[in-house]
Amino acid sequence: MNRASAAGNGNGVDEVVLSARHVVKTYGGTQALRGVNFDIHRGKVTTLFGENGAGKSTLMKILSGVEQPTSGEILLHGETVSFHSTVDARDRGISIIHQELSLAPNLNVRDNIFMGREIRTGTGIDFAEEARQTQELMERLEEDISPFTPVADLRLGQQQIVEIARALSVDARILIMDEPTSALSASEVEVLFKVIADLKSSGVSIVYISHHLEEALQITDFAVVLRDGNITATAEVRDIDLEWIVRRMVGEHFSLGEAPSVDEFGPIALSIEDVSVADVENPQRSIVDNLSLEVRSREVVCIYGLMGAGRTELLEAVAGRVPLTGGRVVLNGADVSGLSISERIDAGLCLVPEDRQRDGLVQTMSVGQNLTLASLTSFVKGLFLSRSAEEARVQESIKDVQVKTESPAAPIGALSGGNQQKVVIGKMLATHPQVILLDEPSRGIDVGAKAEVFRLLAERAGSGLAVVYSTSEVGECLSIAHRIIVMRRGRISAEFGPHTSKEEIMAASGEAVVA
Amino acid sequence: MTTSTQGRNRSRPAALAGGFDLGKILLEGRAFLALIVIIVVFSILSPNYLTTSNVLSMASHVAVYALLAIGMLLVILNGGIDLTVGSILGLSGVIAGWLMQGVRLKALGDVTLFPAVWVVVVLAALVGAVIGLVNGVLVSRFKVAPFVATLGMLYVVRGIALLMTNGLTYNNLDGKPELGNTGFSWLGFNRILDLPIGVIVMVVVAVIVSLVLQRTVFGRWLYASGGNERAAELSGVPVRRVKVWVYVASGVCAAIAGLILSSELTSASPTAGSSYELTAIAAVVIGGAALSGGRGNVRGTLLGAFVIGFLSDGLVIVGVSAYWQTVFTGAVIILAVLLNAVQYRGRRKAPASSGDAQGPSSEPEPADATSPQTARTTG
C-alpha cells in the first residue's frame, strides 16, 4: 500500500488526476467496497487486479458516475466532485468501456458510436461528419469495418472494437476499460495496446481491468490489487511480476494443477470421425473441417485455439447442438450422430457450454433446481418427482463440486461466477457421463475457482471420465491435460504432450508470439 | 443489488420448487390483498354482494376466466402467449351445439347421429387440443412467433365457428330424452354440495395443473425452458415437446371453459368469448407471472381470475356503467403490472444482461458487481 506513494513521490512527475478517498459502497447489508483509496495518474495505465466479486467493477462504476458511493469522496484534479450520471462524468472527461457491451444491434456502427451525442446541424444530424469520424476511428484501430454496417452483423470481437471506438470518440482525458479484450483476437489486442500507448503519450490516463493477467501486465504502469473490497497492494510495474499479483489476489501460491498420473488410459470413449460443421454466417464454408479425434476414458484433452478456430462449433456439434455436415460421432463404439441432445446425455455424453449465463443456467430457478435439471428423470417415483431423492442428490452435488451457497433454494444469480460455473458442471456430472465436454470452463471465473474446477475435472478423469475442455488461455493448456490439441481454421494444426511450452502452442495456433 | 439481499431473505433450507417461500407469499399476497379490498368495498356498497348465492354465481363466472387463465399460465410460463383461447371457447360451444342438433351423415345412407353428452364433451375438448397442437407446431417447429401464430389462429378458429352456424346461435342444447343425449345443462346448472359444477371443474383442473407444475418432471421442464430455453435444451430438456404440450393443454382448458359457458347460457354463440384471451392474460399477470416466462404459479393465477371476476361483477351490482367497468379493470391490470415491475426489478438485474443476446463473452464476470457478497463466498 505504501509502495505506491513512495514510488509516486520518488520521481515526482506523476500527477494524480482522479482519486477515490475512503470510498465505501454498500448494497443492502453487504459491503462491496470497504474504504478504498485509489489514484489515477496522468498519462499512465493503472491496472486493477482482483478476483470476481473483489469490487473492481463497483469501483469503476463509481468513478464513471454509474453509481454513487455510500460514503467517501471522489477528487478530480484535487477537487471534490460528485457525478450524478455517466453523462455528468463524460462531460468532465471520464469515459468508460463496459465489460458488457452496450450497443444497439439494430443500428449501424456510426449511429452506435454517436448515440446520445449526435453531431447536430441546424435542422438535423450531420451524418456525413459522423461517418467520417467513424471511418477515422476504425482506421486508428486498424479495423476494416464500414460505418454503415449494422452492429448485429459484426462478430463479437468487432462489436467490442466499436465499443472501444465509441469511448475513444469522446476524447476523454480519463478512460476506464473494463475487460476490453475478452472477445478480441491477439492481433486486435496488439492494435488496442498500440492505441493505448498513443493515448498515454497524449496525456490520457487509463484504468484497465482484465482477467488476462499476463496481457494486462504488458501495458500496466501501476498495479493495484483489490481483494474483498479492500486494496491489498499497490506497486509500480517495474517492481513486481505476475506471481506477485496472483499471490496478492488470492492470498496464496496457486497452480492449476497437473495432468493426473495414469498407468494406462481406458478404452476409446469418444471418437470424432471426419467431422465437418458449416459456418452459420457463411454456410458454404466449414468452420470445422474434416476433423478427427479420439479420446480415451481417464484421459484429459485440452483444445486450444483462437476465436473463430472452430472450438465451440466442434464441441456443440459433438454434443448435438448443431448439425454435422459430414462425419460421425461415436461414443463407446456406438454411432450417436443421429441422436438428440437428451439422447446423447442419456448415452453418457454431455457439454458444459461456454456462456453459462446464456446456455448454462436457468436464472429463474434456484441453485438446487439448476443442479438437478439434467438428471430429473432419475428422481421420478410413479408420476411425481421424489423430493427426498432430489434433495439428497442436490446436497450430494453441492458437496461434490463444492458449491458455496447459503442454501440450495438460493436464487442462482446470488452466486459468484465461479460457483455458478460449478453448478453447471455439477448439473452435467449428475447425469453420470462417460465423456464430458467443457467449452472454456474457466471463462469469467477467478483464479481460485479456476483451480478448483480443474482439480475436480482431474479427479473425475482419475475415476474413469473422459474430459475434453477448450480454452483460449495458453496457461490453462499446461495444467491437467494429458494431451493438447491446437485447432486452427477448423482443423487440428498440432498435438502436444503435457510438457510442451506456451510458445509452441501459440505458434501452432497461428497466434503471433507476444514477447 | 437487491439480488443478494432478496436471495438471503428468500432462501430457506430445504425448500425446493413447491416449498414454503416468504417472497412468493408476499408476491401473491398482493393479489390476495386486492381481492380482500374488492370484497370489503363492495360489501359496504351493496348488501347483496357477499350473500352466498351471489358469491357462488360470481364464482361460476370466475370459473370460465380461471380455466382460460390456467391454460394461458402454462403458455406464459413457457415464454409464449396464446391468443386463441377466446376463439376456442366460442368454437367449443358451437361444436357442442352442432353435435346436440344431430349430425347428418349422408355417406352412411342419410342417418342422423345424436351423440351422447360425454361424447360431445370429449369431441369438443379434442377440437381444442387439435387447435392447440396446430399452435404448438407453428411455434416450435416452424418458429413462428407465438403472438403472430396464435393471432392468426384466433381469426381462423373464430371464422370456422361463424361458418359452422352461418353466424347464428344454437339455442337448444337440452337434447331429447328419446335420443339419449340430455344432460348437457348439467355442466352449467347442477351443483354438488351447493357448488356449481363449473367451480368444481375449475378446482379440479387447478389442482391437477398445480401438481403437474410443482411435482412432475414436465413441470420442472416447463419452468426451465421458460426461464432459459437454451440452457434447458443443453440440459437434455425436450424443449419442443414441452412447447407443443403447453399449447395443447391451453386449447383443452379453453374448450372445457367453452362447454361450461354454453351450458350455463343454454346457448352456443359463435362469437362467445371474444376478447376473453385478454382477460385470461390479465388474470395471469395480476397473479404475478412474468410474461418473459419461467415465473408464476396456479395459486396466483386463480387469485388473478378472482380479482377480475369479483371486480367486474361488483361493479355491475353497484350499478356502475359498463364503460366505467372497462376503465376500472384496465386500471387494476396496470397497477398489477407496475407492482410486478417493482417486484422483479431487483432480481432481474443480474441475469437480465445475459438475455440481451450479445453473445458469449459479453459478460465474462457477471457476479463481480451485482452480487458483492460473493467476495466472501469465493474467498
Side-chain angles (χ1 to χ4, degrees):
Chain A
M1 184 145 257
N2 299 321
R3 292 175 70 175
S5 45
N9 294 340
N11 49 33
V13 291
D14 294 325
E15 185 194 336
V16 173
V17 288
L18 181 68
S19 54
R21 286 283 164 269
H22 312 294
V23 165
V24 174
K25 179 70 185 177
T26 321
Y27 294 117
T30 45
Q31 279 195 319
L33 295 174
R34 311 158 175 250
V36 165
N37 292 307
F38 180 67
D39 291 332
I40 299 171
H41 302 263
R42 175 184 299 277
K44 301 283 181 199
V45 177
T46 308
T47 304
L48 203 50
F49 296 97
E51 293 193 320
N52 286 333
K56 304 186 299 278
S57 290
T58 308
L59 181 56
M60 291 309 105
K61 281 179 180 164
I62 286 173
L63 290 179
S64 60
V66 178
E67 304 222 14
Q68 276 69 50
T70 310
S71 68
E73 54 182 4
I74 307 296
L75 302 174
L76 182 62
H77 302 298
E79 284 171 40
T80 306
V81 288
S82 69
F83 305 126
H84 300 290
S85 67
T86 44
V87 178
D88 212 8
R90 194 174 71 194
D91 290 346
R92 291 172 185 258
I94 301 170
S95 180
I96 182 165
I97 301 170
H98 288 285
Q99 68 178 23
E100 295 115 22
L101 296 179
S102 50
L103 303 172
N106 55 329
L107 299 181
N108 66 28
V109 173
R110 175 198 68 195
D111 294 346
N112 264 290
I113 287 180
F114 289 95
M115 198 195 304
R117 3 167 245 107
E118 292 78 6
I119 301 174
R120 306 284 179 106
T121 63
T123 51
I125 299 174
D126 189 347
F127 286 118
E129 175 61 18
E130 284 188 7
R132 196 188 58 75
Q133 290 191 23
T134 304
Q135 194 67 49
E136 258 179 31
L137 285 165
M138 287 305 147
E139 278 161 24
R140 188 169 166 198
L141 289 165
E142 297 179 24
E143 281 289 326
D144 186 22
I145 302 174
S146 152
F148 308 107
T149 311
V151 162
D153 292 350
L154 298 177
R155 61 183 172 78
L156 202 60
Q158 290 176 318
Q159 293 187 9
Q160 207 157 29
I161 295 282
V162 174
E163 183 92 26
I164 293 167
R166 178 160 71 182
L168 292 178
S169 73
V170 182
D171 276 331
R173 302 307 299 159
I174 299 168
L175 187 54
I176 298 170
M177 300 181 167
D178 196 350
E179 295 274 2
T181 61
S182 56
L184 298 189
S185 70
S187 56
E188 284 168 333
V189 171
E190 243 180 292
V191 174
L192 176 66
F193 285 3
K194 245 190 317 197
V195 172
I196 289 178
D198 283 353
L199 289 170
K200 273 170 65 177
S201 59
S202 56
V204 175
S205 316
I206 288 160
V207 184
Y208 192 83
I209 296 180
S210 176
H211 264 97
H212 296 259
L213 307 185
E214 280 172 80
E215 194 183 275
L217 265 185
Q218 294 170 37
I219 51 157
T220 302
D221 295 306
F222 290 95
V224 176
V225 182
L226 201 57
R227 192 164 94 214
D228 279 356
N230 291 306
I231 290 197
T232 53
T234 306
E236 267 195 272
V237 76
R238 60 165 179 257
D239 302 332
I240 57 160
D241 59 11
L242 188 64
E243 212 186 305
W244 182 92
I245 293 171
V246 171
R247 256 202 321 274
R248 275 152 190 82
M249 274 170 66
V250 297
E252 63 186 86
H253 186 80
F254 96 102
S255 125
L256 282 180
E258 51 186 55
S261 59
V262 182
D263 298 332
E264 201 181 338
F265 293 126
I268 294 171
L270 175 70
S271 169
I272 301 168
E273 300 173 3
D274 302 318
V275 158
S276 295
V277 180
D279 187 349
V280 187
E281 282 152 31
N282 177 11
Q284 303 303 318
R285 208 176 75 89
S286 285
I287 186 108
V288 176
D289 192 4
N290 268 308
L291 188 141
S292 297
L293 177 66
E294 280 179 352
V295 185
R296 291 175 174 275
S297 135
R298 283 205 283 280
E299 190 181 20
V300 183
V301 173
C302 166
I303 300 180
Y304 176 80
L306 300 179
M307 277 194 67
R311 287 171 293 150
T312 298
E313 290 77 4
L314 172 67
L315 295 182
E316 290 195 339
V318 172
R321 175 68 164 280
V322 291
L324 302 179
T325 49
R328 58 184 205 141
V329 176
V330 177
L331 184 72
N332 290 328
D335 188 349
V336 295
S337 314
L339 302 186
S340 70
I341 296 176
S342 61
E343 286 164 337
R344 290 186 207 206
I345 290 175
D346 292 343
L349 171 65
C350 65
L351 169 70
V352 173
E354 176 182 27
D355 185 337
R356 67 177 160 274
Q357 297 300 326
R358 199 183 56 178
D359 298 330
L361 300 168
V362 180
Q363 286 83 0
T364 50
M365 292 176 122
S366 69
V367 174
Q369 289 171 335
N370 268 288
L371 271 170
T372 55
L373 184 57
S375 49
L376 276 179
T377 40
S378 59
F379 310 120
V380 181
K381 289 232 175 84
L383 280 176
F384 298 120
L385 289 167
S386 157
R387 284 191 193 170
S388 53
E390 186 181 359
E391 273 182 23
R393 179 69 238 191
V394 167
Q395 292 297 348
E396 198 184 315
S397 280
I398 286 180
K399 227 175 86 193
D400 197 25
V401 296
Q402 296 172 11
V403 178
K404 288 179 190 101
T405 176
E406 290 172 43
S407 109
I412 190 74
L415 300 191
S416 68
N419 279 304
Q420 290 184 351
Q421 183 71 330
K422 288 186 208 161
V423 169
V424 181
I425 295 174
K427 171 178 76 178
M428 295 328 298
L429 285 178
T431 64
H432 303 297
Q434 272 133 31
V435 179
I436 188 166
L437 314 169
L438 304 101
D439 196 3
E440 298 243 20
S442 64
R443 161 155 270 160
I445 67 177
D446 57 63
V447 221
K450 214 181 263 189
E452 280 180 44
V453 165
F454 277 59
R455 197 182 315 135
L456 174 74
L457 294 175
E459 229 173 74
R460 285 311 178 99
S463 52
L465 187 66
V467 177
V468 180
Y469 71 95
S470 78
T471 181
S472 52
E473 287 183 42
V474 194
E476 289 174 12
C477 297
L478 304 172
S479 56
I480 57 165
H482 297 110
R483 199 145 54 101
I484 298 151
I485 304 289
V486 181
M487 264 186 90
R488 184 178 182 181
R489 295 194 192 122
R491 293 165 185 262
I492 293 177
S493 65
E495 193 173 324
F496 299 103
H499 301 295
T500 179
S501 72
K502 291 181 183 178
E503 287 73 19
E504 273 185 289
I505 296 174
M506 288 167 82
S509 72
E511 191 169 5
V513 180
V514 193
Chain B
M1 313 304 120
T2 36
T3 324
S4 45
T5 44
Q6 273 189 352
R8 194 149 293 171
N9 296 339
R10 296 177 73 253
S11 54
R12 278 171 181 272
L16 281 162
F20 180 79
D21 189 317
L22 190 65
K24 272 188 199 160
I25 301 274
L26 285 175
L27 169 68
E28 281 149 32
R30 205 167 56 217
F32 193 60
L33 213 68
L35 187 59
I36 290 179
V37 169
I38 287 168
I39 292 174
V40 169
V41 168
F42 286 114
S43 314
I44 294 169
L45 291 177
S46 159
N48 298 327
Y49 188 77
L50 207 58
T51 56
T52 314
S53 68
N54 187 52
V55 167
L56 285 178
S57 112
M58 289 195 298
S60 37
H61 295 164
V62 168
V64 173
Y65 293 140
L67 282 167
L68 294 181
I70 289 169
M72 184 69 76
L73 170 72
L74 296 175
V75 178
I76 285 179
L77 281 177
N78 190 248
I81 197 96
D82 186 356
L83 299 177
T84 56
V85 293
S87 298
I88 294 177
L89 181 145
L91 180 64
S92 154
V94 166
I95 297 265
W98 175 64
L99 291 173
M100 299 298 286
Q101 313 302 315
V103 186
R104 275 183 74 182
L105 290 175
K106 285 197 175 133
L108 298 175
D110 205 4
V111 289
T112 307
L113 290 177
F114 291 93
V117 169
W118 71 267
V119 179
V120 172
V121 170
V122 168
L123 284 178
L126 209 62
V127 168
V130 168
I131 297 166
L133 185 68
V134 173
N135 285 333
V137 169
L138 281 175
V139 171
S140 74
R141 182 76 47 179
F142 297 102
K143 309 279 175 217
V144 184
F147 190 95
V148 180
T150 58
L151 181 66
M153 288 298 287
L154 175 154
Y155 286 107
V156 172
V157 174
R158 183 67 71 192
I160 292 172
L162 288 163
L163 279 171
M164 283 181 69
T165 67
N166 246 332
L168 303 173
T169 300
Y170 289 115
N171 284 317
N172 180 14
L173 301 178
D174 288 338
K176 294 197 178 78
E178 63 268 30
L179 295 171
N181 66 349
T182 54
F184 187 70
S185 54
W186 182 83
L187 269 176
F189 285 99
N190 258 46
R191 300 192 166 195
I192 294 175
L193 300 173
D194 274 349
L195 287 173
I197 300 296
V199 175
I200 291 170
V201 170
M202 169 189 82
V203 171
V204 169
V205 170
V207 167
I208 292 172
V209 172
S210 198
L211 277 175
V212 166
L213 287 181
Q214 304 294 353
R215 302 288 309 278
T216 66
V217 176
F218 181 85
R220 197 67 68 75
W221 282 349
L222 174 52
Y223 277 107
S225 51
N228 185 346
E229 193 170 301
R230 297 174 64 103
E233 191 187 9
L234 274 182
S235 302
V237 174
V239 286
R240 281 185 176 183
R241 219 162 71 209
V242 170
K243 197 168 270 182
V244 171
W245 274 110
V246 293
Y247 285 95
V248 170
S250 176
V252 172
C253 283
I256 295 173
L259 292 172
I260 291 173
L261 188 67
S262 54
S263 172
E264 280 175 1
L265 301 173
T266 62
S267 73
S269 156
T271 56
S274 301
S275 87
Y276 276 27
E277 59 279 348
L278 302 180
T279 316
I281 295 169
V284 174
V285 169
I286 292 173
L291 283 177
S292 49
R295 290 187 206 277
N297 60 39
V298 174
R299 273 175 298 174
T301 298
L302 278 185
L303 280 171
F306 272 93
V307 165
I308 290 185
F310 277 31
L311 176 70
S312 58
D313 281 9
L315 291 169
V316 173
I317 287 172
V318 299
V320 174
S321 89
Y323 307 137
W324 274 111
Q325 288 173 34
T326 317
V327 174
F328 277 121
T329 311
V332 167
I333 295 169
I334 291 171
L335 204 66
V337 177
L338 278 179
L339 287 169
N340 275 5
V342 172
Q343 173 82 24
Y344 289 132
R345 191 193 295 158
R347 264 197 250 160
R348 281 214 184 135
K349 223 157 199 174
S353 48
S354 64
D356 293 347
Q358 283 290 8
S361 49
S362 58
E363 52 170 50
E365 204 187 18
D368 196 332
T370 40
S371 47
Q373 92 284 10
T374 53
R376 270 154 305 288
T377 45
T378 11

